[in-house]
Every structure is written in structure tokens, then in C-alpha cells.
Amino acid sequence: MVEVVNVVASGALDVELDLEAVARDLDDVVDYDPEKYPGAYVRFGGDEPLVTLYRTGKYIITGASSEAEAGQLREKFLTLLHRHGIVSAAEDAWFTVQNYVCMADMERSVNLSALAIGLGLEVTEYEPEQFPGLVYRPHDHACVLLVFATGKVVITGAQETESAEAAFAAFRDSIETLLADE
DNA sequence: TACTCGTTTCCTTATATATCTGACATAG
DNA sequence: CTATGTCAGATATATAAGGAAACGAGTA
């Protein structure tokens, strides 16, 4: 079972923004420090996803647990901007999910050194002294898997949930073949 | 050699995962 | 004063974004 733990999405408004003015208008939710970073952070609540807004009108939503949650936050964000007259509804250009970060559990321990050899050294990276997880980049799936000795797996880089699920399913099948004796 | 222009890298944010390190704290 | 304990911060992964800095190459 693959569980989505983070969704990164981006979108654009067809207008250039004066972030200084936006930060003044929405002082209670906006955190803007151009000396530190060019984007303005919009936080509705400590537990809600983060919106990073740029001068160009583009924005990023990070920290949502589902595509639906990202979409709801986007609506909330756009409504806020409309209410303050910062943008009009017509200036809303596009919005897409860019990355799904998922978690899965094989519920068995894994010998990562053996797995690296089994999967092939050209598709894996395992340096336990640098990082305890094995990095697996399958050729036939557009995402990256981080495999841990405990059997926990992090799947990241997927543009769709289905792609993360397919990558994990294929990985779980190969694990059973490669490490059947352990 | 000096300057310009294009490319590349880093920064920041979220999130799970696990391992080690360094900085503190508190107890004996 | 030393022992153990706790906690935060790297380490690595993907991804968007804009700006700054660094860097290589080409020209005068």
C-alpha cells in the first residue's frame, strides 16, 4: 500500500505582482523577506500546506497530503487574492501537480548490500556511511525509490499517484525474486 | 589581461525514511 | 567532573519557483 505524504504543485497567475504591497495587505498570512529568498510565503495555518508566491505571479504549493488538499488550498489562496483585489478570476492561468512523495512498507527487513547487487549497480546507490537508505532509480519508471533496511520505502518524483504505485509494485515483485531466501 | 555574456549551481519549502554527530542537559 | 540522555541538525530524494553568485568561454 502506497500512501501519499507530500504533494508539490505549481500554478500561475497571469499578472506580475508587487510582493511588497501583497505582504503589506496580507500581513497576517504573508512572510516576505527578499534578502533571504525571492518568494513570499503564504501560510493559512500551521498545519496547512504552504504557498510560495513569486513576483512573476507563479506560485508553488508544498506540504499537501493529497491532490484534493492541494486543490482546496489553491482555491483558498485564489479567493484571498480576489477579495483583496490583487488578481481577478480571469488571471488564473494553470495549476499542476509536479511531485508526489509517497511512503510504503514491505513489512520485512531488507539486506541493502544484496539488494544493490541484485538490482544492479548502475541503477542503485548505496553508501551507508553517507546515508542509510539505498537509492534506486528504475529505468522503466519515472520516479526514485529510497529503500531502508527496515523495509520502509519512500517513493518520490512521481507526477501521478499511479506511477508511484506501479513503481512500488514492480519493486516489491523484484525484491521477492532477488531476496527470496532471506 | 579585462570585460561581457551565457550557463550552472545554490538557496528555500514540504515530506517520509534512518543514521550519525555535536551540543547541551541532568544526574550521580 | 564524568556519565548517560535528549534533541537538533546534517546526510539523500524529487519538484516547482526567482535571484544571486560563480564559472567557463569568447572577444577586444
Side-chain angles (χ1 to χ4, degrees), chain A residues 7 9 25 30 32 42 45 49 53 59 75 113 132 138 141-142 146 149 165-166 182:
Chain A
V7 175
D25 277 3
V30 175
Y32 179 53
V42 184
L53 180 62
Y59 60 95
E75 289 302 325
S113 301
H141 294 278
L146 304 181
E165 280 161 10
E182 291 182 50

Side-chain angles (χ1 to χ4, degrees), chain A residues 157-168:
Chain A
Q159 227 105 19
E160 338 239 307
T161 346
E162 294 76 20
S163 137
E165 280 161 10
F168 178 67

Side-chain angles (χ1 to χ4, degrees), chain A residues 54-102:
Chain A
Y54 298 89
R55 176 191 52 79
T56 56
K58 292 191 178 178
Y59 60 95
I60 304 169
I61 291 181
T62 51
S65 305
S66 65
E67 182 179 3
E69 193 189 353
Q72 283 159 21
L73 194 93
R74 172 201 176 214
E75 289 302 325
K76 195 168 175 177
F77 169 64
L78 293 178
T79 302
L80 178 75
L81 296 184
H82 294 165
R83 263 196 286 123
H84 285 77
I86 295 163
V87 295
S88 67
E91 287 163 338
D92 178 19
W94 54 270
F95 184 68
T96 335
V97 171
Q98 302 286 354
N99 181 24
Y100 279 101
V101 181
C102 309

Side-chain angles (χ1 to χ4, degrees), chain A residues 13 17 20-21 23 28 40 44-45 47 62 71 83 85-86 120-122 124-125 128 133 136-137 139 146 148 153 170:
Chain A
L13 305 169
L17 303 167
E20 289 284 356
D28 50 334
F44 290 99
D47 55 322
T62 51
R83 263 196 286 123
I86 295 163
L121 298 176
E122 69 283 352
T124 58
E125 280 174 49
Y136 173 40
R137 297 168 204 273
H139 282 144
L146 304 181
F148 298 86
V153 181

Side-chain angles (χ1 to χ4, degrees), chain A residues 103-125:
Chain A
M103 210 205 83
D105 193 351
M106 295 189 292
E107 297 178 301
R108 58 157 293 174
S109 61
V110 181
N111 178 336
L112 299 181
S113 301
L115 181 63
I117 294 162
L119 290 170
L121 298 176
E122 69 283 352
V123 291
T124 58
E125 280 174 49

Side-chain angles (χ1 to χ4, degrees), chain A residues 9-63:
Chain A
S10 62
L13 305 169
D14 255 340
V15 257
E16 282 243 346
L17 303 167
D18 175 356
L19 294 183
E20 289 284 356
V22 173
R24 276 195 304 271
D25 277 3
L26 308 172
D27 185 49
D28 50 334
V29 290
V30 175
D31 178 11
Y32 179 53
D33 182 4
E35 302 275 305
K36 195 173 172 244
Y37 190 68
Y41 301 118
V42 184
R43 293 170 211 268
F44 290 99
D47 55 322
E48 290 194 76
L50 169 74
V51 182
T52 309
L53 180 62
Y54 298 89
R55 176 191 52 79
T56 56
K58 292 191 178 178
Y59 60 95
I60 304 169
I61 291 181
T62 51

